[in-house]
């Protein structure tokens, strides 16, 4: 199996960076071939712009998704995007490792998604959700945060973590076709001692060791919707 670990933390000595290194070792221990993208270390440019295309389909008006499709067909996407897209299309498993910033990803990771999840290669038209172009692959999110365990879940002050990360888990990973497995969460990291941090890293090892049996998150199938994306009543089949 081939695994890509994308890491987004600005401090190499952080616990989240230790998580990234542990992920690489744990997936290698499973026998996987592992590639990495350390976005801050790479100085990855997160800003989607006209500069992402060496040739434009429409030089008068920038429709970014349409230019991505043109770039795929003509091989005129910027080299830094092409390199990351090649990694993405190469992997069987994608792991995103990052600290929670404002109920979301760091901006550099969002920018990586914006630029690398290329229309025409990753999704497009009706190729989304369980029909997405990356279907048959698995994705996992690994996060660190400051909140305590009791602060997340139904009725908790922040609600379920999966709801917080819905734009990423459903709107990005599942949208592209990935089977999204249960996230790994390291809680309360800035406030715990070294022994507790070591225990979290051991939990991360165990999470990866049982990766093949991890539960996948449940999302709708396009088979449950008609050609106009209206829900299909029970007992009726989708039109062909």
């Amino acid at each position: 199996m081939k695994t890509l670990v994308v890491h987004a933390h600005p401090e190499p000595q952080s616990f989240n960076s230790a998580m990234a290194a542990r992920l690489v070792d744990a997936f290698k221990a499973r026998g996987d071939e592992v590639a990495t993208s350390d976005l801050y270390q790479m100085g990855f440019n997160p800003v989607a712009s006209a500069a992402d295309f060496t040739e434009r389909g429409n030089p008068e008006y920038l429709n970014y998704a349409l230019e991505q499709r043109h770039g795929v067909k003509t091989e005129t996407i910027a080299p830094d995007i092409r390199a990351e897209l090649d990694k993405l299309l190469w992997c069987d498993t994608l792991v995103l490792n990052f600290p929670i910033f404002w109920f979301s990803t760091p901006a550099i990771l969002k920018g990586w998604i914006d630029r690398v999840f290329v229309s025409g290669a990753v999704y497009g038209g009706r190729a989304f959700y369980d029909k997405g172009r990356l279907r048959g692959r698995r994705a996992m999110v690994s996060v660190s945060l400051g909140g305590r365990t009791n602060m997340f879940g139904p009725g908790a002050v922040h609600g379920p973590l999966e709801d917080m990360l819905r734009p990423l888990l459903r709107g990005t990973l599942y949208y592209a076709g990935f089977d999204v497995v249960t996230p790994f969460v390291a809680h309360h990291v800035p406030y715990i001692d070294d022994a507790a941090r070591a225990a979290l890293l051991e939990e991360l090892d165990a999470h990866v060791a049982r990766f093949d049996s991890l539960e996948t998150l449940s999302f709708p199938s396009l088979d449950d919707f008609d050609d106009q994306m209206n829900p299909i009543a029970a007992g009726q089949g989708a039109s062909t």
Side-chain angles (χ1 to χ4, degrees):
M1 301 295 285
K2 296 171 289 188
T3 296
L4 172 61
V5 177
V6 179
H7 172 54
H9 195 290
E11 174 50 65
Q13 299 181 81
S14 68
F15 181 75
N16 190 269
S17 293
M19 288 171 60
R22 200 71 167 237
L23 283 163
V24 170
D25 290 344
F27 275 99
K28 285 182 177 179
R30 282 169 35 91
D32 289 13
E33 183 180 354
V34 180
T36 61
S37 292
D38 185 334
L39 301 184
Y40 283 97
Q41 183 183 62
M42 294 162 57
F44 183 81
N45 173 20
V47 180
S49 73
D52 291 344
F53 313 102
T54 60
E55 173 190 298
R56 291 277 296 280
N58 180 357
E60 303 300 323
Y61 184 88
L62 177 64
N63 181 310
Y64 195 78
L66 292 182
E67 293 297 342
Q68 285 182 318
R69 296 179 197 178
H70 177 76
V72 168
K73 292 179 181 178
T74 60
E75 299 184 354
T76 56
I77 291 177
D80 63 333
I81 298 176
R82 182 75 253 180
E84 293 302 297
L85 178 60
D86 286 346
K87 291 182 191 177
L88 180 64
L89 298 178
W90 165 85
C91 73
D92 302 301
T93 299
L94 173 65
V95 181
L96 303 180
N97 183 74
F98 59 94
I100 297 288
F101 283 5
W102 291 105
F103 282 32
S104 187
T105 67
I108 197 169
L109 178 56
K110 179 58 167 63
W112 183 86
I113 292 166
D114 290 346
R115 298 182 72 221
V116 176
F117 275 52
V118 174
S119 180
V122 173
Y123 72 97
R126 294 180 180 272
F128 64 97
Y129 286 169
D130 54 340
K131 311 298 183 185
R133 298 184 188 275
L134 301 186
R135 62 188 177 276
R137 309 172 194 226
R138 305 187 97 200
M140 185 182 92
V141 167
S142 169
V143 301
S144 59
L145 44 76
R148 299 177 184 272
T149 305
N150 64 285
M151 298 169 72
F152 300 88
V157 64
H158 294 314
L161 185 70
E162 288 80 3
D163 289 355
M164 181 186 298
L165 295 177
R166 179 186 175 91
L168 176 62
L169 300 175
R170 177 173 175 170
T172 301
L173 297 174
Y174 182 62
Y175 193 91
F178 284 106
D179 292 324
V180 185
V181 306
T182 306
F184 178 83
V185 185
H187 290 92
H188 211 47
V189 167
Y191 313 105
I192 58 178
D193 61 22
D194 288 344
R197 293 184 177 200
L200 283 173
L201 292 176
E202 291 179 2
E203 290 177 21
L204 180 56
D205 289 342
H207 195 80
V208 174
R210 60 178 183 273
F211 183 78
D212 292 335
S213 61
L214 288 176
E215 181 180 357
T216 57
L217 304 181
S218 179
F219 298 115
S221 168
L222 290 192
D223 291 337
D224 297 328
F225 298 84
D226 65 18
D227 291 344
Q228 302 303 313
M229 294 300 156
N230 296 307
I232 298 171
Q236 296 181 353
S239 60
T240 58

